[in-house]
């Protein structure tokens, strides 16, 4: 089965998942720059399609205590049907960190630790927007967004070959919620990016 997968793309990694004992193959499919997760029955060697994983993986909700926040965390697994990746989802909110990725050859470090880390990051983020960013001058705001967007486009370009994948409807709604005058600031930012900005591509991406 693994030999057949090489016809579909380049295998990046393969391992026995610690929790499910399934063979997981991570590969970059032909004509794609994203990693796809393929599951194989480690006993029979048969491919397990995403829609049939429920026969091998427990997707039911589980409760674990979060002592730092004096509450329980409701954990479940969710599948990205496009890539086959799976994530632990605490309280219905996906936390895109390495520890939230469900497939792993090792025992997970702990969902509670991941949850606590995410909550701490949220607190720091809110503090930044309320106590620091709101006091920026317009030129300082332009400087902030220039650094942020230039970095994001460079990382996306290196990772996927598509620097405009930095932009999306969810991204646009978020930045507008943080900076109501974002559109005006963004015009100033694009003039300093160091390349000809494709406004048509940007407008298309921010609507999807």
């Amino acid at each position: 089965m693994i030999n057949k997968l090489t016809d579909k793309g380049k295998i990046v990694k393969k391992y026995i998942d610690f929790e499910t004992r399934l063979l997981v193959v991570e590969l970059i499919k032909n004509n794609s720059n994203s990693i796809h997760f393929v599951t194989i029955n480690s006993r029979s060697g048969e491919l397990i399609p995403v829609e049939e994983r429920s026969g091998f993986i427990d997707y039911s909700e589980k409760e674990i205590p979060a002592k730092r926040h004096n509450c329980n965390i409701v954990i479940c697994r969710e599948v990205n049907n496009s890539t086959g990746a799976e994530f632990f989802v605490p309280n219905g909110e996906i936390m895109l960190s390495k520890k939230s990725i469900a497939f792993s050859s090792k025992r997970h470090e702990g969902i509670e630790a991941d949850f606590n880390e995410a909550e701490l990051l949220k607190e720091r983020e809110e503090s930044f927007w309320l106590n620091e960013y709101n006091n920026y001058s317009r030129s300082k705001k332009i400087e902030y967004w220039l650094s942020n967007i230039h970095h994001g486009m460079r990382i996306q370009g290196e990772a996927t070959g598509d620097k405009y994948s930095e932009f999306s409807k969810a991204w646009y709604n978020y930045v507008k919620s943080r900076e109501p005058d974002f559109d005006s600031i963004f015009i100033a930012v694009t003039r300093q990016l160091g390349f000809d900005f494709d406004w048509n591509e940007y407008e298309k991406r921010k609507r999807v």
Side-chain angles (χ1 to χ4, degrees), residues 29-91:
K29 287 188 175 181
N30 298 329
N31 302 318
S32 172
N33 291 303
S34 58
I35 293 179
H36 293 253
F37 291 75
V38 178
T39 47
I40 298 173
N41 188 320
S42 55
R43 291 185 178 180
S44 67
E46 295 181 353
L47 178 70
I48 303 173
V50 171
E51 60 271 17
E52 296 179 15
R53 285 184 187 172
S54 58
F56 301 85
I57 300 175
D58 183 6
Y59 291 101
S60 62
E61 293 184 344
K62 299 179 178 66
E63 273 197 13
I64 63 172
K67 298 176 182 177
R68 181 174 181 268
H69 297 275
N70 193 30
C71 67
N72 287 337
I73 309 171
V74 179
I75 301 293
C76 66
R77 291 173 71 116
E78 286 195 2
V79 185
N80 182 315
N81 291 320
S82 298
T83 65
E86 299 202 6
F87 301 90
F88 288 118
V89 183
N91 298 338

Side-chain angles (χ1 to χ4, degrees), residues 129 133 136 138-154 166-167 171 175 179 182 185-195 197:
W129 291 111
Y133 181 85
Y136 282 178
R138 179 176 173 81
S139 61
K140 182 70 173 176
K141 288 182 177 181
I142 292 173
E143 181 182 327
Y144 168 80
W145 288 109
L146 174 62
S147 174
N148 184 287
I149 291 166
H150 187 276
H151 176 75
M153 293 186 74
R154 179 175 62 81
E166 165 73 0
F167 308 116
W171 169 87
V175 298
E179 174 52 74
F182 179 78
I185 289 175
F186 189 62
I187 291 173
V189 166
T190 58
R191 292 169 180 165
Q192 301 180 50
L193 284 173
F195 57 85
F197 189 76

Side-chain angles (χ1 to χ4, degrees), residues 161-203:
D162 177 14
K163 59 189 176 186
Y164 289 90
S165 62
E166 165 73 0
F167 308 116
S168 66
K169 183 177 181 179
W171 169 87
Y172 182 71
N173 289 339
Y174 175 78
V175 298
K176 284 286 286 185
S177 71
R178 294 301 188 180
E179 174 52 74
D181 194 33
F182 179 78
D183 292 331
S184 172
I185 289 175
F186 189 62
I187 291 173
V189 166
T190 58
R191 292 169 180 165
Q192 301 180 50
L193 284 173
F195 57 85
D196 291 332
F197 189 76
D198 190 336
W199 281 97
N200 289 331
E201 190 65 28
Y202 168 73
E203 291 294 336

